[in-house]
């Protein structure tokens, strides 16, 4: 199968090119157009598939639910926004609920269906600081425990790929060190950590900051905290909710100015209300309200999560925050692939990589999505 366009994203620029795909892989890329391509997308932009490494649900499914059909429904919808791979992300909850949720995701991973690929599980909590819990249920928050984490690993059948924790809730960085040894990403979040605590956690294996600006102390000139670490430390990744609600567009642009753009990761942080009509839903055992602006909030007004689609996040960063297209695109393609350790097969259009390909209209609407060479979404 040959896919072509006047604008194929190759090494930081658009070029006329055609891509040959077979057995789910890109087997050849050639500059220029040919007469007998199977799919000719004209002037539409062809870019790598998007990767969302922090998402809690969508289409009336919550990752904490023991619901295989719901998870499959969610992953089947993700290609509509150009997402070809993702990490279902749990939230703090009672031990039995988390164990059942992890078993459910592992089961679906062993029996994949059409749609976005599950790369692994992102465990957000329960090892968080109650001061910055946000919408995470306080009753289930606790200090980091190797015993608890071992139970989660067993339930997940070894599929945990990332964990968000507050470094000050991990005495001696015991869990951080353990995860580092097992190549599990440790991301610092929902934390009151000082800059020094964040620096020390990074030295012991933490490699990312969860949703920068959210779930952490405000930056103060004499107390830069975790936010200061996210800005300052080279090689430390930082997630960004790119909906313009959780983080102002000015602050989003500041992050791109402050950090090397190889280390910023766009996330949706989406909830089960994504894809649904505004109204009342449940999250973490507590009610939340989906407003007309696309954000979900507790009844007291506390933000819970977004319903962002990553193609709209790309639009927000480029057209509203005025971030260069190349920087914004990296944040949802090669950067998460690199952090997740899969940049040898995902994150760019290159021979030998998975044929995860997105075709974008000029208004950032997704025209067509290929997941490993199969069309999983088409506007036509």
């Amino acid at each position: 199968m040959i896919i072509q366009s006047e604008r194929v994203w190759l090494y930081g620029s658009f070029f006329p090119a055609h891509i040959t795909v077979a057995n789910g892989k890109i087997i050849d890329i050639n500059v220029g157009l040919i007469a007998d391509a199977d799919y000719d997308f004209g002037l539409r932009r062809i870019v790598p598939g998007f990767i969302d490494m922090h998402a809690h649900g969508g289409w009336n499914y919550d990752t904490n639910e023991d619901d295989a059909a719901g998870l499959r429904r969610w992953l089947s919808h993700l290609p509509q926004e150009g997402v070809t791979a993702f990490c279902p992300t749990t939230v703090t909850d009672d031990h039995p609920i988390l164990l059942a949720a992890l078993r459910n995701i592992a089961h679906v991973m062993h029996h994949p269906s059409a749609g976005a690929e599950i790369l692994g599980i992102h465990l957000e909590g329960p090892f968080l600081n109650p001061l910055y819990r946000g919408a995470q249920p306080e009753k289930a928050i606790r200090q980091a425990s190797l015993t608890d984490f071992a139970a989660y690993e067993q339930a997940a059948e070894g599929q945990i790929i990332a964990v968000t924790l507050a470094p000050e809730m991990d005495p001696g960085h015991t869990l951080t060190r353990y995860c580092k040894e097992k190549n599990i990403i440790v991301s610092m979040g929902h934390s009151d950590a000082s800059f020094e605590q964040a620096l020390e956690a990074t030295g012991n294996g933490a490699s990312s900051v969860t949703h920068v600006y959210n779930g952490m102390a405000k930056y103060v000139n004499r107390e830069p905290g975790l936010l200061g670490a996210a800005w300052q430390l080279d090689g430390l990744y930082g997630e960004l909710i790119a909906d313009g609600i959780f983080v102002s567009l000015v602050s989003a642009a500041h992050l791109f100015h402050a950090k090397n753009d190889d280390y910023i990761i766009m996330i949706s942080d989406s909830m089960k209300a994504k894809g649904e009509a505004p109204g009342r839903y449940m999250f973490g055992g507590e009610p939340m309200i989906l407003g007309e602006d696309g954000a979900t909030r507790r009844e007291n007004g506390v933000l819970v999560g977004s319903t962002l689609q990553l193609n709209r996040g790309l639009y927000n960063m480029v057209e509203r925050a005025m971030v260069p297209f190349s920087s914004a695109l990296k944040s949802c393609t090669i950067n998460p692939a690199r952090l997740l350790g899969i940049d040898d097969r995902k994150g760019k259009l290159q021979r030998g990589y998975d044929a995860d390909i997105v075709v974008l209209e000029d208004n950032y609407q997704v025209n067509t999505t290929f997941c490993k060479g199969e069309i999983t979404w088409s506007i036509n």
Side-chain angles (χ1 to χ4, degrees):
M1 178 178 68
I2 297 177
I3 303 164
Q4 70 178 15
S5 167
E6 293 274 4
R7 294 190 290 173
V8 177
W9 187 257
L10 300 172
Y11 290 90
S13 297
F14 286 110
F15 298 94
H18 56 279
I19 304 168
T20 305
V21 172
N23 300 317
K25 296 284 187 180
I26 296 172
I27 63 170
D28 202 3
I29 297 179
N30 292 280
V31 174
L33 307 180
I34 61 173
D36 57 348
D38 297 282
Y39 297 96
D40 187 336
F41 290 103
L43 289 170
R44 295 181 179 93
R45 295 175 289 183
I46 292 181
V47 298
F50 305 151
I51 299 169
D52 191 355
M53 68 167 291
H54 186 151
H56 299 286
W59 286 271
N60 205 31
Y61 165 77
D62 183 326
T63 307
N64 279 34
E65 295 171 350
D66 182 6
D67 178 6
L71 177 52
R72 291 192 175 97
R73 182 175 63 251
W74 179 29
L75 66 85
S76 73
H77 281 284
L78 285 172
Q80 295 178 21
E81 61 188 271
V83 171
T84 56
F86 73 117
C87 299
T89 306
T90 59
V91 297
T92 298
D93 215 325
D94 293 333
H95 202 62
I97 291 175
L98 281 179
L99 294 177
L102 294 169
R103 293 188 190 103
N104 177 61
I105 300 168
H107 169 78
V108 172
M109 290 182 72
H110 289 309
H111 302 87
S113 54
E117 178 184 353
I118 300 176
L119 299 169
I121 301 166
H122 183 165
L123 189 76
E124 187 178 15
F127 315 124
L128 309 176
N129 190 320
L131 287 174
Y132 289 96
R133 68 184 183 91
Q136 304 263 346
E138 185 172 10
K139 61 182 175 63
I141 289 175
R142 50 195 179 274
Q143 277 201 335
S145 160
L146 285 180
T147 300
D148 285 352
F149 192 76
Y152 298 145
E153 282 190 291
Q154 183 176 9
E157 300 180 32
Q159 298 296 340
I160 295 174
I161 198 170
V163 57
T164 289
L165 57 78
E168 68 274 23
M169 299 292 285
D170 182 18
H173 306 291
T174 302
L175 181 56
T176 299
R177 292 177 179 181
Y178 173 83
C179 289
K180 175 65 174 177
E181 291 174 359
K182 299 198 69 174
N183 292 318
I184 297 171
I185 297 160
V186 174
S187 189
M188 299 176 285
H190 292 282
S191 167
D192 193 33
S194 66
F195 177 88
E196 290 74 20
Q197 286 175 311
L199 177 61
E200 188 173 288
T202 302
N204 280 278
S207 57
S208 184
V209 176
T210 295
H211 41 53
V212 174
Y213 298 109
N214 301 110
M216 60 191 68
K218 294 180 179 179
Y219 180 89
V220 179
N221 58 336
R222 288 183 294 275
E223 296 179 6
L226 183 54
L227 178 53
W231 281 338
Q232 174 72 15
L233 301 181
D234 288 341
L236 182 65
Y237 287 85
E239 297 178 352
L240 179 68
I241 306 172
D243 65 353
I245 300 171
F246 275 78
V247 177
S248 83
L249 296 173
V250 172
S251 297
H254 282 171
L255 184 64
F256 277 89
H257 289 307
K259 287 190 75 65
N260 181 327
D261 66 6
D262 287 336
Y263 294 95
I264 300 172
I265 295 177
M266 183 189 301
I267 62 168
S268 71
D269 200 16
S270 67
M271 300 296 170
K272 70 182 294 182
K274 179 177 180 173
E276 301 296 315
R280 192 173 188 270
Y281 298 87
M282 297 298 293
F283 173 70
E286 300 177 24
M288 63 179 180
I289 308 299
L290 171 60
E292 296 290 345
D293 62 357
T296 55
R297 295 172 173 85
R298 291 295 189 203
E299 293 179 319
N300 62 4
V302 172
L303 282 165
V304 176
S306 84
T307 58
L308 177 70
Q309 298 192 353
L310 283 198
N311 62 313
R312 301 313 299 172
L314 186 63
Y315 168 85
N316 287 338
M317 291 301 96
V318 177
E319 304 297 337
R320 300 176 65 200
M322 307 306 291
V323 170
F325 182 86
S326 59
S327 297
L329 184 65
K330 284 197 291 185
S331 74
C332 56
T333 55
I334 191 61
N335 292 358
R338 191 184 306 112
L339 176 58
L340 292 164
I342 55 171
D343 55 315
D344 60 342
R345 64 184 180 93
K346 290 188 184 293
K348 57 185 173 180
L349 302 177
Q350 182 171 304
R351 184 178 184 274
Y353 277 58
D354 290 346
D356 293 342
I357 299 168
V358 174
V359 183
L360 288 177
E361 305 283 355
D362 282 342
N363 65 359
Y364 294 81
Q365 183 175 7
V366 175
N367 177 284
T368 306
T369 300
F370 297 84
C371 292
K372 293 187 176 179
E374 298 293 329
I375 293 179
T376 49
W377 163 255
S378 177
I379 201 171
N380 298 320

